[in-house]
Amino acid sequence: MSDLAARLLRQQLTDLVPYESARRLGGDGEIWLNANENPYSHSYELDDSRFGRYPEFQPPVLIDRYAAYAGVNNKQLLATRGADEGIELLIRTFCEPQQDKVIICPPTYGMYAISARTNLVDVVNVPLDSDYQVDVDGVLASMESVKLVFVCSPNNPTGHDMQPEKLRQLLEALKDQALVVVDEAYIEFSEQPSVLSWIGEFPNLVVLRTLSKAFALAGIRCGFTLANEAVIQQLAKVIAPYPVPEPVAQVAIQALSDDNLSAVTEEVAGLNALRAAFAETMKPLTEVFPSSGNYVLFRVPDALACMKAMADAGIILRNQSKQLTLQNCIRVTIGTEQEMARTTSALQAYFKEAV
């Protein structure tokens, strides 16, 4: 079977390196701070009476609740299996294989490039500038055959918010040429307002959202693609017939209740306070990147040695050294107060030995 698979595999995928998710990388440890997960969890109830039936294509209550939460109308969003499915859908819907291209702005989230390549769509890299902001001139100079421009804000893994004026520049310049996809997976942790209020102004704006981060629901894989109605209608033609499983819809609907939204707001504030405290503790030791996500990126003398020292202490972090300009950079997800205390202590011990 392996020989058959090798013979049938599309030539363009033979050298494809899969996305190294936290779970694929694995590791042994008691404290997992490598996947930008929320350390808290909430309780939900499930009604199994409909489990024998196919679910609603777009569960109306879920759509209405998220639309109200996001401040859009219910025809301006599509529920997906995480924001990752939104990325895939956009590429499959709007890009012609072996003809069109997408732009990504590294260092950034790896699935933009992988989703493009698996769909035989070329990737054009326009690196972030020295301030880790979108290089608007670089993007505009690279637009030949480009249908989608992906921008992550707050950016994973650096943590930077993209400056609104630069995003507005891009949207204005590409209004009749390409979709600008702003990935707001971490927006709840940022003090910068969402660009969602711009959807009525820019027909080429698409926003990606998820319940995986602030809502602490990474395990249910529920995300949303938000855009003007014409874009959503096209995506709805391509998405799988039952993209939101019944248990997922039930949990997500409860997560968007007023009581739970209040709890999420409180937890985000707590995590942001822990993020700020951790960053301040690290600043005397090394270069620390400013962050508006639930994580902090910093540079170490030797990333592999740091990862080993932390693993030996039972703590799993994320090595970002493969990313452009991020050699010897480590990303730490913000965990509970106890997890951050133990992580801080282990990192201080590592830096004491490293110098």
Side-chain angles (χ1 to χ4, degrees), residues 2-23:
S2 60
D3 289 341
L4 175 62
R7 291 201 308 273
L8 295 178
L9 185 69
R10 297 192 334 239
Q11 182 179 355
Q12 293 89 344
L13 299 186
T14 54
D15 297 323
L16 182 74
V17 178
Y19 179 70
E20 293 182 328
S21 69
R23 294 299 170 265

Side-chain angles (χ1 to χ4, degrees), residues 120-310:
L120 306 185
V121 172
D122 283 343
V123 176
V124 178
N125 290 296
V126 180
L128 298 175
D129 66 20
S130 58
D131 295 320
Y132 292 96
Q133 292 295 316
V134 178
D135 177 2
V136 175
D137 291 339
V139 170
L140 298 183
S142 307
M143 286 301 300
E144 184 179 354
S145 301
V146 169
K147 292 286 186 68
L148 302 170
V149 178
F150 287 96
V151 181
C152 191
S153 181
N155 186 44
N156 176 24
T158 67
H160 294 79
D161 288 311
M162 295 298 112
Q163 294 169 1
E165 58 269 25
K166 289 185 180 289
L167 296 176
R168 184 171 282 276
Q169 252 185 292
L170 264 186
L171 286 160
E172 193 68 57
L174 301 178
K175 214 166 191 176
D176 299 315
Q177 188 174 357
L179 296 177
V180 177
V181 184
V182 182
D183 186 342
E184 291 190 339
Y186 301 94
I187 192 65
E188 284 88 358
F189 298 97
S190 175
E191 293 182 3
Q192 182 166 290
S194 167
V195 298
L196 274 174
S197 61
W198 301 357
I199 283 180
E201 183 179 357
F202 294 107
N204 59 331
L205 172 61
V206 180
V207 178
L208 298 175
R209 289 285 193 87
T210 184
L211 298 185
S212 295
K213 309 303 180 182
F215 284 83
L217 287 173
I220 72 168
R221 309 306 299 127
C222 184
F224 300 89
T225 301
L226 303 101
N228 71 76
E229 187 176 344
V231 170
I232 297 300
Q233 285 176 346
Q234 297 307 315
L235 296 174
K237 295 177 182 178
V238 179
I239 196 171
Y242 307 109
V244 187
E246 177 66 25
V248 171
Q250 290 186 27
V251 171
I253 287 167
Q254 293 171 63
L256 291 161
S257 68
D258 289 343
D259 286 346
N260 200 70
L261 288 174
S262 296
V264 167
T265 299
E266 187 175 331
E267 288 165 5
V268 165
L271 289 170
N272 282 351
L274 288 170
R275 179 188 70 198
F278 175 71
E280 285 304 310
T281 302
M282 295 298 296
K283 282 177 182 177
L285 302 174
T286 187
E287 175 191 2
V288 179
F289 289 63
S291 178
S292 291
N294 65 332
Y295 49 90
V296 173
L297 185 75
F298 55 89
R299 210 174 292 272
V300 297
D302 184 326
L304 291 178
C306 182
M307 291 291 290
K308 183 180 185 307
M310 297 302 288

Side-chain angles (χ1 to χ4, degrees), residues 32-54:
W32 289 73
L33 302 179
N34 65 336
N36 293 348
E37 296 157 328
N38 189 318
Y40 304 114
S41 60
H42 302 173
S43 295
Y44 301 98
E45 296 180 357
L46 288 178
D47 173 7
D48 61 6
S49 63
R50 284 189 50 81
F51 285 6
R53 302 287 185 183
Y54 286 111

Side-chain angles (χ1 to χ4, degrees), residues 49-95:
S49 63
R50 284 189 50 81
F51 285 6
R53 302 287 185 183
Y54 286 111
E56 296 272 7
F57 168 62
Q58 293 286 290
V61 178
L62 175 59
I63 296 302
D64 287 346
R65 286 203 179 179
Y66 199 83
Y69 170 72
V72 300
N73 72 58
N74 59 11
K75 295 182 179 179
Q76 293 176 318
L77 77 156
L78 190 73
T80 60
R81 287 165 287 198
D84 288 332
E85 186 176 29
I87 296 167
E88 185 88 8
L89 279 173
L90 286 161
I91 292 168
R92 288 170 52 207
T93 302
F94 295 107
C95 294

